[in-house]
Amino acid sequence: MSSTSPRVIAHRGYAADNPENTVAAMRAAAADDRTDAVEIDARLTADDRVIVFHDDDLSRLTDAPPAVSDTPVWELSYDEISSYTVGDSDELIPLLAEVLAAIPPSITVNLELKHPGCEGLQFGAVDAAAREAAADRWRPFVERALDIATATDHDLLVSSFYEGALAATRAVDPAVPVAPLVVDDVEPGLTLADRYDAAVIHPPLDLVVESDFVARAHAAGYRVNAWTVTTPAEATALAAAGVDGLIADTPGVLSELS
Ligand code: G3P
Ligand code: MG
């Protein structure tokens, strides 16, 4: 078990407290001295701009008209989405470069790669040829995102639910640490971590609490960051389970930890 408090990773820039994945959210998260890292969701637009946005489309987070909000982000140009504000805020959907410029280099950036319209393989990819094809599909997006992110002084951690994203990241820049995002099973997370020489594994918090995930990951040499922490009770349970990091919706989850 970890003897120190887990590191705190601001999920979407603390989505419970700030308009998620915006420049304002990242500034606020970075200004909080409890924050070690920020987690941001990256996507590719139809005109190959890398934006910071979680959803497949604009319907939940903006008041864009149906012609726009019902269309997947990867089929829209940045110009078509850049005038809409996020939630109740005045914040626009930002470019990755704008978000990174708003975060001081002392804050690690966990770049979660959402699929750019080519979902392809998720977990447990079948054979080497399928994995290679998935990496090829992801490569243009990964190249663009890493070009932008590695031009900054931030420590980076690339995570994804998609094997193609991890494979392409490894191929494009072997120096960038990667973390498989796990859905609901221990084995695929460990398999992908081995396959892509991951630094960390990102399981959902239920899996950590209900299994020996942390012990097995630590025994294999991987750190564990659990998502998504929304309450102090969850943070306490995860700290007791020995996780290394909490991907948290608010730093308020730390209130019961010493
Ligand atoms: O990176 C952890 C977490 O963000 C994964 O889920 O849907 O919030 O991006 P989601
Ligand atoms: Mg995310």
Side-chain angles (χ1 to χ4, degrees):
M1 182 184 290
S2 218
S3 56
T4 54
S5 288
R7 285 162 53 86
V8 180
I9 302 144
H11 183 239
R12 308 182 198 173
Y14 294 135
D17 300 339
N18 304 306
E20 66 177 60
N21 279 324
T22 62
V23 167
M26 299 309 157
R27 285 207 177 104
D32 190 304
D33 61 12
R34 295 167 288 189
T35 305
D36 296 293
V38 294
E39 186 261 7
I40 63 182
D41 301 296
R43 288 191 171 278
L44 195 65
T45 63
D47 54 343
D48 293 333
R49 307 298 296 276
V50 182
I51 60 170
V52 176
F53 196 69
H54 177 272
D55 295 355
D56 284 355
D57 63 46
L58 271 56
S59 57
R60 177 178 67 96
L61 284 167
T62 79
D63 62 356
V68 174
S69 68
D70 292 346
T71 304
V73 164
W74 55 88
E75 293 178 12
L76 296 168
S77 69
Y78 181 62
D79 195 46
E80 287 174 292
I81 68 171
S82 60
S83 62
Y84 300 107
T85 54
V86 176
D88 296 328
S89 78
D90 294 328
E91 292 290 307
L92 303 174
I93 297 169
L95 293 166
L96 175 60
E98 294 170 333
V99 162
L100 295 176
I103 303 168
S106 57
I107 300 287
T108 296
V109 171
N110 172 199
L111 190 61
E112 185 193 337
L113 299 178
K114 295 297 190 189
H115 75 79
C118 65
E119 274 195 59
L121 301 167
Q122 196 155 10
F123 287 115
V126 278
D127 57 49
R131 291 201 294 268
E132 202 170 312
D136 287 347
R137 286 196 299 275
W138 278 82
R139 190 167 179 129
F141 172 38
V142 170
E143 281 178 342
R144 286 198 164 272
L146 291 187
D147 266 359
I148 295 162
T150 59
T152 74
D153 291 328
H154 295 95
D155 286 337
L156 291 176
L157 174 64
V158 168
S159 62
S160 189
F161 286 109
Y162 300 100
E163 179 160 2
L166 302 176
T169 300
R170 267 281 157 271
V172 170
D173 191 340
V176 173
V178 299
L181 270 157
V182 180
V183 180
D184 54 10
D185 198 4
V186 177
E187 287 302 334
L190 292 171
T191 299
L192 288 183
D194 287 347
R195 188 174 290 157
Y196 298 105
D197 191 24
V200 198
I201 307 178
H202 287 187
L205 63 91
D206 290 352
L207 186 59
V208 170
V209 172
E210 293 163 8
S211 76
D212 58 355
F213 192 100
V214 174
R216 292 180 64 185
H218 282 173
Y222 304 116
R223 300 194 307 278
V224 175
N225 297 330
W227 54 278
T228 297
V229 190
T230 61
T231 68
E234 290 170 349
T236 300
L238 291 166
V243 300
D244 302 278
L246 305 171
I247 302 177
D249 264 351
T250 169
V253 302
L254 297 174
S255 61
E256 292 175 6
L257 295 179
S258 54

